[in-house]
Amino acid sequence: MPSSTVSSALPPHGEGTAGDGAIQHSLEAAWPADLLAADERELLAAGRALLRADATGVSRRNWPDVFPHGQVVAPAFATGGFRIQAAIARREAGPDAAVVHLVWAGTDRGGTYTDGRIADLPFTRTLTKGGPRWTPLPRL
């Protein structure tokens, strides 16, 4: 009798770092690259740093437009258990809009570890004295 199970391209939850490459490959296959390589590198670095700041509280001061001073919130995730499993940056609605798609894992304050978490961080290209750069859009 033929098997009716469908195998997934994604690793099972709890696979650890061994499954991160498969997640990265799946993201890249689902959304082909559509940004200049330099833009994608800048967005990925910013997206990773922003997600780390949001989840763990580390370096929130680097993002004053996203985390206004006086908005003190205890971080939801421990820095030691946090890791980004995969990330891509892709164009959004127009040439000056992009989104960083991240898949990440973390241990919350209660000690529960969960992987395969998803975050989409929107960015806009802004003009600065040094030239254009990607800026995260504040959350509503």
Side-chain angles (χ1 to χ4, degrees), residues 24-47:
Q24 182 69 40
H25 178 73
S26 292
L27 278 179
E28 291 169 354
W31 287 294
D34 60 0
L35 290 165
L36 295 173
D39 285 336
E40 187 170 10
R41 280 190 302 275
E42 180 183 346
L43 283 159
L44 288 173

Side-chain angles (χ1 to χ4, degrees), residues 30 44 50 55 92 98 102 117:
L44 288 173
L50 181 57
E92 192 67 345
L102 301 116
R117 294 174 179 270

Side-chain angles (χ1 to χ4, degrees), residues 1-6:
M1 177 174 199
S3 173
S4 62
T5 34
V6 177

Side-chain angles (χ1 to χ4, degrees), residues 75-121:
F77 293 87
T79 56
F82 177 88
R83 91 170 186 281
I84 294 173
Q85 296 178 269
I88 59 170
R90 298 297 184 255
R91 188 173 310 280
E92 192 67 345
D96 294 329
V99 64
V100 178
H101 302 282
L102 301 116
V103 180
W104 60 284
T107 303
D108 66 24
R109 288 184 294 185
T112 302
Y113 175 83
T114 307
D115 60 0
R117 294 174 179 270
I118 298 169
D120 291 330
L121 304 177

Side-chain angles (χ1 to χ4, degrees), residues 50 53-55 59-61 63-71 139:
L50 181 57
D54 188 26
S59 300
R60 283 187 179 170
R61 69 185 176 287
W63 307 95
D65 293 337
V66 179
F67 307 107
H69 296 294
Q71 181 188 20
R139 295 187 182 139

